[in-house]
């Protein structure tokens, strides 16, 4: 939402914004674990500044260079955004919206296609990500496992690890050889980007992930000790931590051997409460003890490495009733965030990471079986990188924590009992400043307005239904003191000779801010909505929130030499306020949809950012600024009476984005020659193993058929079993039973001598099975009488005595490997065929199998499976498809197997426009088929028409050429029981802004 014209036609001098609750830049001091570290300005935004830094902690907070830091972090995963240019886009958006840190998993399987082989180039360039985070001004919480879970294939374990000896996630030496090699490769990079050395911004480093197996056994304790010592030996010197899988008190300081090192280990625990439950007390106000959350480690600050910013959705959408991630965002909305996150802050949790803040896309064969391609998660930034309304609380709280030092050191204070017991009050105080903080939470379904006895609040306060707010008394607003406010302070900064204090709340609410004023100040209404009264040392200012944008009141004199500007805003308007710290002082920008960067050069404020609709622009900053540029273009401004530079014209919004139709121009070709009896499979691997490291037993008397044992770890796998049988045996052949094991929504197709026997698929998960990652079934196919007659007749013609050769062809879409959350080696559950039996005959079958080819050197091991078209490059740009059959959509084919569709399309998005574009597929849900989507050779995900719930697939810029030609290939797998599409296939505009970041095309090699 842009600023209204009304806002920018107010008299000159009616706007000013900039308020500082203590500076953020200061001299470096030694970190201390002492509780006596006083309250003071927070450290400034981090960078790779070349100077050494100290990182410590006490029971209240982190201590960075001796200054208290409340860590307000969001989770994103570079591997879920395969366009390195867009990493900067997301990180800049996080920083602008109040986050001071980003938490990232590093996934072993993403970087390692084979034992001893590692790739940190291209979309896997970890160094580039860490440099970008430092340039953006974000601390990094690095989480490289070795196991990460993360709803990713194998929990992050590489496919090849499934075929190795050793119990994973234990002190087993066979496993540790591989895990150590992985950590060595990651740590070679991480050690160079630590904040302590001034060469990067890695602030914390996580060991393992939610490890609750063998906690009281040597296998577990020795494992954790080994990882700790390994990481330290690799040069990682920042504090280390582990994320307990809930409030268990596992892996607290002193619970395992750290080689004599003390005071460098943090206890953290993960929490994902349901929206319907009452926010739990996991700290100061909880039950206490080992299972009380933060109280399990009373000498370290409260730390939640993962707190639910949404939730994942399974195939079929059972988690959100088929409504997908839009429902996750609705149920975990802004009010949810305020209730739960403010409860955490009240409980002393000062290291707070929201999982996820940007979910992204589990493209290719990355997703764990429990999720589909989209990993949107209902996060604050959606999968298309768009800001959502649920950002408002994160934005407001993050800006407050960065600029109000009182909140970094709070103790529980005397209990406060609201007059209406439907309101729960948390009361805390800063022992150094004397400021008091109140978190008021309403768990009822009605708005509650009540008084707070025995406090400085002499008027009722209100909290909307199922919401919360943070209020304060005795807090400094620049030179003045806040007596109380009925709405939440958002931030305060000093711009030039003015203090600017911003207060935020729901649209339309009448807010009241009361200031201690021993002398009557001169108060000026800058917008018609504001009002005030002075009485007996108190200035009471009231204003409705959001009416006409900002409501502003100026307070001058009254014993102070700096003017105070009070700004009142609702949630939507607060998302257009952008405070920014520069070496020359604080800057505040009001208006655009996003401000990415602020630089002061002489008398010029250089701004970069995004607009969506046309909007006004207003800037407050240090004295002497006289000019403004926006995205390198000059902006004509005038000086307002409050010292701001006010744009005389609106910044333009984004231009319309035109997308081409995809209805025509397709070419089509069927495949699966592997089903034909005369197909040459001599180069395939013989299934000749008799033992396996899989946890799935090898059936007695049968060879190992598990795909991973033969080096095929991702995507589809083909089997061909050759046997001989005479006419009499074939005449008695009743059925073939194929036992197989897959991830969620796996399937199997079978042909006998080229004739389809049928398709079997795993069931769609329901509420009780959404977390089930491995599914086993036996598909029994009757051999039709006509087929028996045909086969026996052919055998008789060939000579019954000698026996005729026959081929059983099987395609298994195995989906992905299970995760190993309980350290039971469940990632080693078999994938593919497990056993084959015949009824009515007992032929001896010689099996060969074939899966994916060598990993794509650019796109990596998870891009391709074992379909014929993938092996032949049908998905790649530049493949010659001129001899393919022309086709139009929608289609209604009926066949068992695979059919490919290809076409090119061109885009001409205006330069300077960041357009997020998706591919949307729709069809009659009764049609049973699935589509593998390839854009310029990149596997962007899997659509299952009759399962869902996903219909739109994000096509990230960089892989998508927004100005130029693109190749789209669809591999359609159908079971032949229903007509199969594709039906409607179209491009969808998911969001657009004027601005964005420069995007470098992602390498997309073709034929």
């Amino acid at each position: 939402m842009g600023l209204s014209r009304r806002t920018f036609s107010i008299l000159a001098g009616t706007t000013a914004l900039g308020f500082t609750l203590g500076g953020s830049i200061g001299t470096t001091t030694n970190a201390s674990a002492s509780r006596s570290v006083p309250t003071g300005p927070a450290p400034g935004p981090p960078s790779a500044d070349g100077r050494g830094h100290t990182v410590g902690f006490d029971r209240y907070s982190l201590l960075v260079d001796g200054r208290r830091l409340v860590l307000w972090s969001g989770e994103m995963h570079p591997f879920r955004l395969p366009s390195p240019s867009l990493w900067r886009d997301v990180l800049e958006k996080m920083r602008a919206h109040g986050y001071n840190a980003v938490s990232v998993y590093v996934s072993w399987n993403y970087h390692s296609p084979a034992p001893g082989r590692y790739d940190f180039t291209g979309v896997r360039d970890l160094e580039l990500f860490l440099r970008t985070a430092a340039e953006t001004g974000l601390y990094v919480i690095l989480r490289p496992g070795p196991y990460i879970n993360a709803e990713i294939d194998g929990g992050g374990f590489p496919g090849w690890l499934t075929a190795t000896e050793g119990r994973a996630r234990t002190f087993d030496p066979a496993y540790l050889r591989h895990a150590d090699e992985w950590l060595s490769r990651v740590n070679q990079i991480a050690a160079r980007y630590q904040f302590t050395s001034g060469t990067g911004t890695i602030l914390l480093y996580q060991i393992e992930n939610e490890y609750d197996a063998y906690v009281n056994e040597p296998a577990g304790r020795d494992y954790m000790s080994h990882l700790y010592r390994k990481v330290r030996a690799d040069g990682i010197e920042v504090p280390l931590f582990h994320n307990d899988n809930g409030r268990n008190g596992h892996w607290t300081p002193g619970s395992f051997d750290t080689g004599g090192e003390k005071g460098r280990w943090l206890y953290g625990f993960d929490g994902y409460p349901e929206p319907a439950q009452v926010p739990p007390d996991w700290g100061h106000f909880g039950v206490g003890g080992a299972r009380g959350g933060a109280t399990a480690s009373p000498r370290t600050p409260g730390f939640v490495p993962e707190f639910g910013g949404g939730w994942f959705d399974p195939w079929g959408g059972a988690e959100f009733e088929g409504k997908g991630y839009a429902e996750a965002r609705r149920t975990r909305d802004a009010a949810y965030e305020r209730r739960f996150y403010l409860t955490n802050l009240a409980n002393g949790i000062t290291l707070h990471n929201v999982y996820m803040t940007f979910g992204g896309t589990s493209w290719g064969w990355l997703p764990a079986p429990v999720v589909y391609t989209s990993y949107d998660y209902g996060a604050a930034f959606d999968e298309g990188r768009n800001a959502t309304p649920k950002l408002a609380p994160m934005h407001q709280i993050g800006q407050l924590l960065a600029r109000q030092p009182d909140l970094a050191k709070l103790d529980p204070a005397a209990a406060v009992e609201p007059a209406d017991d439907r309101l729960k009050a948390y009361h805390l105080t800063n022992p150094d400043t004397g400021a008091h903080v109140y978190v008021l939470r309403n768990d009822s379904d009605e708005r509650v307005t009540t008084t707070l006895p025995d406090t400085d609040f002499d008027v009722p306060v209100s909290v909307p239904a199922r919401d919360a707010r943070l209020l304060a008394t005795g807090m400094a607003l620049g030179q003045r003191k806040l007596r109380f406010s009925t709405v939440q302070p958002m931030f305060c900064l000093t711009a030039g000779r003015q203090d600017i204090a911003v207060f935020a709340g729901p649209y339309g609410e009448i807010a009241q801010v009361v200031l201690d004023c021993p002398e009557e100040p001169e108060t000026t209404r800058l917008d018609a909505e504001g009002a005030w009264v002075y009485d007996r040392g108190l200035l009471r200012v009231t204003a409705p929130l959001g009416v006409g944008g900002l409501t502003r009141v100026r307070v001058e004199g009254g014993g102070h030499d700096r003017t105070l500007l009070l700004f009142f805003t609702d949630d939507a308007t607060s998302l257009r306020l952008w405070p920014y710290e520069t070496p020359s002082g604080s800057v505040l920008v009001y208006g655009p949809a996003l401000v990415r960067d602020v630089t002061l050069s002489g008398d010029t404020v250089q701004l970069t950012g995004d607009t969506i609709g046309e909007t006004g622009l207003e800037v407050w900053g240090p004295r002497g600024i006289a000019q403004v540029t926006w995205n390198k273009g000059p902006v004509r401004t005038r000086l307002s009476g409050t010292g701001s530079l006010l744009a005389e014209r609106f910044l333009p919004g984004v231009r319309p984005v035109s997308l081409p139709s995809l209805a025509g121009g397709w070419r089509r070709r069927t495949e699966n020659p592997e089903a034909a009896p005369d197909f040459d499979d001599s180069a395939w691997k013989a299934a000749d193993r008799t033992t396996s490291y899989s946890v799935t037993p090898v059936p007695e008397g049968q060879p190992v058929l598990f795909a991973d044992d033969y080096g095929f770890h991702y995507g589809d796998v083909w089997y061909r079993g050759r046997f001989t049988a005479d006419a009499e045996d074939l005449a008695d052949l009743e059925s073939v039973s194929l036992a197989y094991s897959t991830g969620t929504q796996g399937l199997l197709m079978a042909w006998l001598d080229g004739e389809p026997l049928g398709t079997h698929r795993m069931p769609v998960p329901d509420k009780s099975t959404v977390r089930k990652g491995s599914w086993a079934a036996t598909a029994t196919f009757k051999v039709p009488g006509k087929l028996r007659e045909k086969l026996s007749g052919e055998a008789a013609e060939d000579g019954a005595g000698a026996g005729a050769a026959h081929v059983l062809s099987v395609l298994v879409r195995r989906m992905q490997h299970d995760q190993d959350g309980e350290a039971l080696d469940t990632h080693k559950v078999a994938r593919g065929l497990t056993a084959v039996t015949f009824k009515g005959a007992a032929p001896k079958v010689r099996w060969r199998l074939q899966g994916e080819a060598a990993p794509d050197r650019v796109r990596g091991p998870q891009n391709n499976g074992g379909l014929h078209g993938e092996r032949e490059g049908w998905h790649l740009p530049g493949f010659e498809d001129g001899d393919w059959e022309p086709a139009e959509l929608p289609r209604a084919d009926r066949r068992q197997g695979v059919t490919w569709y290809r076409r090119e399309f061109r885009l001409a998005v205006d330069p300077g426009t960041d357009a997020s574009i998706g591919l949307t597929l729709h069809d009659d849900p009764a049609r049973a088929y699935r589509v593998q989507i390839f854009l310029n050779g990149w596997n962007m995900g899997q659509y299952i028409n009759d399962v869902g719930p996903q219909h739109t697939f994000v096509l990230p810029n960089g892989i998508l050429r927004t100005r130029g030609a693109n190749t789209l290939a669809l591999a359609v797998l159908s079971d032949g029981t229903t007509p199969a599409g594709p039906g409607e296939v179209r491009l969808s505009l998911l969001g657009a802004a004027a601005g964005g970041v420069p995007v470098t095309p992602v390498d997309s090699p073709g034929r």
Side-chain angles (χ1 to χ4, degrees):
M1 181 185 75
L3 296 183
S4 68
R5 291 186 180 273
R6 167 220 175 275
T7 298
F8 281 87
S9 61
I10 300 297
L11 293 173
T14 63
T15 53
L17 257 165
F19 100 162
T20 193
L21 300 169
S24 59
I25 305 295
T27 58
T28 300
T29 59
N30 290 328
S32 169
S34 169
R35 61 182 295 177
S36 66
V37 174
T39 298
S47 66
D49 56 13
R51 300 194 299 266
H53 297 275
T54 58
V55 182
F57 53 83
D58 62 10
R59 68 183 180 91
Y60 291 106
S61 70
L62 288 178
L63 300 169
V64 175
D65 295 335
R67 295 182 172 196
R68 295 197 175 278
L69 175 72
V70 179
L71 203 65
W72 197 241
S73 172
E75 186 90 12
M76 76 160 289
H77 301 148
F79 55 81
R80 285 190 162 111
L81 185 56
S83 178
S85 298
L86 298 183
W87 298 342
R88 182 178 297 275
D89 176 66
V90 174
L91 293 174
E92 287 182 348
K93 288 173 177 174
M94 289 176 61
R95 163 76 191 285
H97 282 285
Y99 297 87
N100 59 15
V102 59
S103 175
V104 291
Y105 277 133
V106 189
S107 191
W108 187 357
N109 61 9
Y110 195 62
H111 296 274
S112 182
R117 290 177 55 193
Y118 293 89
D119 180 4
F120 289 93
T121 64
V123 299
R124 294 166 174 77
D125 192 340
L126 178 60
E127 290 194 70
L128 175 59
F129 181 86
L130 295 174
R131 288 197 302 271
T132 305
E135 292 164 3
T136 307
L138 289 172
Y139 293 108
V140 175
I141 303 172
L142 197 69
R143 310 206 291 161
Y147 178 79
I148 65 170
N149 193 291
E151 288 76 61
I152 195 170
D153 178 53
F157 284 154
W160 56 261
L161 193 71
T162 63
T164 61
E165 64 178 328
R167 172 62 68 89
R169 308 184 74 192
T170 70
F171 195 59
D172 189 312
Y175 162 72
L176 288 178
R177 283 196 299 271
H178 299 300
D180 284 354
E181 184 178 70
W182 161 243
L183 291 175
S184 292
R185 296 301 186 98
V186 173
N187 293 340
Q188 285 175 8
I189 297 170
R192 298 197 295 271
Y193 290 90
Q194 297 181 89
F195 186 62
T196 47
S197 63
T199 54
T201 56
I202 295 175
L203 189 72
L204 302 173
Y205 181 110
Q206 179 177 306
I207 288 176
E208 249 284 346
N209 189 81
E210 294 185 339
Y211 186 61
D212 57 3
Y214 315 110
V215 173
N216 298 311
E217 301 175 39
R221 291 196 302 270
D222 292 349
Y223 174 50
M224 291 292 285
S225 178
H226 174 90
L227 294 180
Y228 189 102
R229 296 178 187 221
K230 166 63 179 170
V231 169
R232 286 291 188 231
D234 285 345
I236 304 302
E237 59 186 25
V238 298
L240 308 180
F241 73 96
H242 177 75
N243 58 331
D244 190 0
N245 187 20
R247 301 170 320 284
N248 305 300
H250 296 161
W251 313 116
T252 55
S255 62
F256 66 101
D257 183 9
T258 57
E261 185 176 78
K262 296 182 179 180
R264 305 292 291 161
W265 175 258
L266 286 160
Y267 171 71
F269 60 94
D270 293 349
Y272 290 88
E274 291 289 332
Q277 75 180 85
V278 173
D281 290 323
W282 289 342
H284 291 326
F285 298 92
V287 297
R291 299 189 64 83
T295 58
S297 181
R299 296 185 179 181
T300 62
F303 185 8
V304 180
E306 294 181 24
F307 196 90
W311 192 247
F312 62 82
D313 198 25
W315 286 106
E319 188 67 41
F320 300 111
E321 300 176 344
K323 299 175 184 177
Y325 285 117
E327 183 70 2
R329 191 168 286 109
R330 187 191 70 81
T331 56
R332 292 166 172 83
D333 60 2
Y336 166 91
E337 292 186 326
R338 278 188 291 264
R339 288 175 70 221
F340 284 84
Y341 301 168
L342 289 177
T343 297
N344 286 348
L345 288 173
N347 275 273
I349 294 169
T350 58
L351 284 76
H352 195 278
N353 180 57
V354 176
Y355 188 106
M356 300 291 296
T357 292
F358 168 75
T361 306
S362 299
W363 59 280
W365 295 106
L366 278 171
V370 294
V371 292
Y372 45 87
T373 299
S374 174
Y375 200 67
D376 176 281
Y377 217 78
F381 295 99
D382 68 22
E383 189 181 0
R385 299 177 289 112
N386 301 300
T388 70
K390 67 183 288 182
L391 265 170
M394 299 303 297
H395 185 72
Q396 294 164 11
I397 297 170
Q399 308 295 358
L400 179 66
L401 293 173
R403 292 166 179 83
Q404 180 49 40
D406 304 71
L407 297 169
K409 187 178 181 181
L410 292 172
D411 289 320
V416 170
E417 300 293 338
D420 189 322
D421 61 9
R422 290 176 298 171
L423 206 64
K424 181 176 179 62
Y426 297 90
H427 180 202
L428 303 105
T429 187
N430 184 292
D432 301 326
T433 68
H436 290 255
V437 173
Y438 302 84
V439 171
L440 306 180
R441 197 181 73 224
N442 179 6
D443 298 320
S444 77
D445 293 326
E446 297 178 342
R447 183 183 186 88
V448 173
T449 300
T450 188
T451 58
L452 299 177
D454 302 319
T455 70
D456 285 343
F457 293 85
D458 59 11
V459 298
V461 296
S462 296
V463 182
R466 303 187 66 76
D467 209 330
R469 60 183 42 170
L470 181 150
L471 304 179
T473 64
M475 184 178 286
L477 300 181
Q479 290 186 341
R480 291 172 170 80
K481 184 85 67 171
L482 175 69
R483 172 61 66 95
F484 70 83
S485 67
T486 62
V487 291
Q488 186 166 306
M490 178 174 165
F491 61 82
C492 181
L493 57 79
T494 300
R497 292 182 176 178
Q498 300 180 115
D499 297 326
I500 306 175
V502 183
F503 293 84
Y507 178 85
E509 181 170 327
I510 303 299
Q512 183 172 163
V513 171
V514 181
L515 304 177
D516 283 322
C517 294
E519 302 174 22
E520 183 173 1
E522 181 181 343
T523 307
T524 306
R525 176 190 297 115
L526 303 178
D527 298 292
E529 295 81 9
W532 71 91
V533 62
Y534 179 79
D535 182 42
R536 290 176 291 184
L538 296 179
L539 177 66
R540 299 176 184 269
V541 182
T542 59
L545 300 180
V547 178
L550 286 178
T551 296
R552 290 156 287 197
V553 174
R554 183 172 58 213
V555 182
E556 299 174 284
H560 300 286
D561 59 6
R562 279 211 306 263
T563 297
L564 173 66
L565 292 173
L566 293 173
F567 283 22
F568 297 86
T569 174
D570 66 338
D571 283 354
T573 307
S574 76
L575 290 169
R576 297 295 180 265
L577 287 167
W578 308 104
Y580 206 96
E581 304 303 322
T582 77
S584 300
S586 300
V587 174
L588 181 67
V589 182
Y590 174 43
L594 177 70
V595 173
R596 295 179 179 273
D597 187 58
V598 178
T599 302
L600 299 184
S601 178
D603 66 350
T604 302
V605 182
Q606 300 171 342
L607 306 175
T608 62
D610 298 358
T611 60
I612 297 174
E614 71 170 13
T615 181
L617 175 68
E618 193 163 9
V619 182
W620 294 262
R623 295 179 64 194
I625 63 171
Q627 301 182 73
V628 175
T629 64
W630 175 256
N631 291 339
K632 300 183 179 180
V635 178
R636 291 184 59 183
T637 62
R638 58 186 171 87
L639 184 65
S640 78
T642 58
S644 70
L645 294 177
L646 183 64
E648 294 184 349
R649 296 181 179 178
F650 284 83
L651 301 179
V654 65
R655 296 179 179 179
V657 176
S658 177
L659 301 178
S661 170
L662 300 181
W666 293 90
R667 290 188 173 275
R668 171 182 178 274
R669 184 173 180 179
T670 59
E671 61 138 277
N672 47 280
E674 300 91 341
D678 57 352
F679 178 82
D680 182 6
D681 59 20
S682 59
W684 289 20
K685 291 190 177 182
D688 54 7
R689 297 177 180 268
T690 57
T691 61
S692 172
Y693 291 120
S694 171
V695 296
T696 301
V698 179
E700 185 176 353
Q702 301 223 15
V704 174
L705 296 173
F706 314 155
D708 287 297
D709 286 67
Y710 298 94
F712 305 123
H713 306 301
Y714 303 107
D716 300 294
V717 62
W718 274 96
Y719 296 83
R720 283 172 59 86
R722 294 183 178 273
F723 62 94
T724 58
D726 57 27
E728 184 177 346
D729 287 338
L730 289 173
D732 293 334
L733 179 59
E734 296 181 24
S735 64
V736 178
S737 293
L738 305 170
Y740 72 118
S741 176
T742 73
T744 308
Q745 277 302 286
L747 62 74
L748 172 150
M749 295 178 172
W751 294 259
L752 181 57
D753 283 0
E755 296 292 331
L757 292 180
T759 297
H760 184 278
R761 55 191 293 182
M762 299 298 182
V764 179
D766 57 21
K767 279 279 191 177
S768 66
T769 56
V770 292
R771 294 196 180 189
K772 181 178 178 180
S774 289
W775 300 69
T778 298
T780 297
F781 299 111
K782 291 184 178 180
V783 179
K786 289 186 178 180
L787 179 57
R788 288 202 305 271
E789 292 175 6
K790 177 183 176 184
L791 297 176
S792 60
E794 291 173 352
E797 293 176 5
D798 291 339
H806 301 279
V807 179
L808 178 61
S809 301
V810 181
L811 172 64
V812 180
R813 176 151 292 182
R814 55 195 167 162
M815 305 302 277
Q816 293 89 334
H817 303 92
D818 199 356
Q819 299 176 108
D820 191 23
E822 297 182 4
L824 298 174
D825 269 357
T826 47
H827 63 292
K828 293 184 177 181
V829 173
R831 291 295 184 261
L833 282 180
T834 55
V836 180
T837 56
F838 297 82
K839 184 176 181 180
K844 185 176 181 180
V845 185
R846 301 181 306 280
W847 287 99
R848 290 184 178 273
L849 70 162
Q850 181 68 73
E852 73 272 20
D856 187 305
R857 65 177 181 82
V858 171
R859 300 173 181 94
Q862 288 90 6
N863 196 72
N864 294 352
L867 295 180
H868 175 78
E870 291 176 288
R871 298 179 63 83
E872 295 296 316
W874 293 7
H875 62 298
L876 295 175
F879 177 81
E880 181 52 58
D881 59 11
D883 60 343
W884 286 24
E885 169 193 355
E888 300 292 324
L889 301 185
R891 294 285 303 189
D893 298 330
R894 187 189 290 265
R895 71 182 292 267
Q896 177 176 291
V898 184
T899 304
W900 285 74
Y901 297 82
R902 282 174 54 94
R903 64 156 293 162
E904 287 195 353
F905 64 91
R906 298 187 67 87
L907 294 175
V909 177
D910 288 337
T913 295
D914 178 11
S916 179
I917 297 171
L919 186 75
T920 299
L921 295 88
H922 276 288
D923 206 345
D924 181 349
R927 295 184 174 185
Y929 67 92
R930 53 188 69 190
V931 181
Q932 208 69 26
I933 300 167
F934 292 92
L935 175 68
N936 296 326
W938 291 81
N939 183 343
M940 298 316 303
Q942 182 177 191
Y943 167 75
I944 305 184
N945 182 66
D946 57 332
V947 174
Q950 185 174 4
H951 287 273
T952 296
F953 295 77
V954 173
L955 308 177
N957 298 345
I959 289 177
L960 178 70
R961 300 334 191 211
T962 58
R963 293 186 61 80
N966 296 274
T967 299
L968 182 62
L970 307 178
V972 179
L973 180 63
S974 56
D975 63 14
T977 62
T978 68
E984 179 190 11
V985 178
R986 59 181 169 84
L987 296 173
S988 299
L989 183 63
L990 307 179
V997 297
V999 176
T1000 300
V1002 177
D1003 190 13
S1004 300
R1007 297 293 280 185

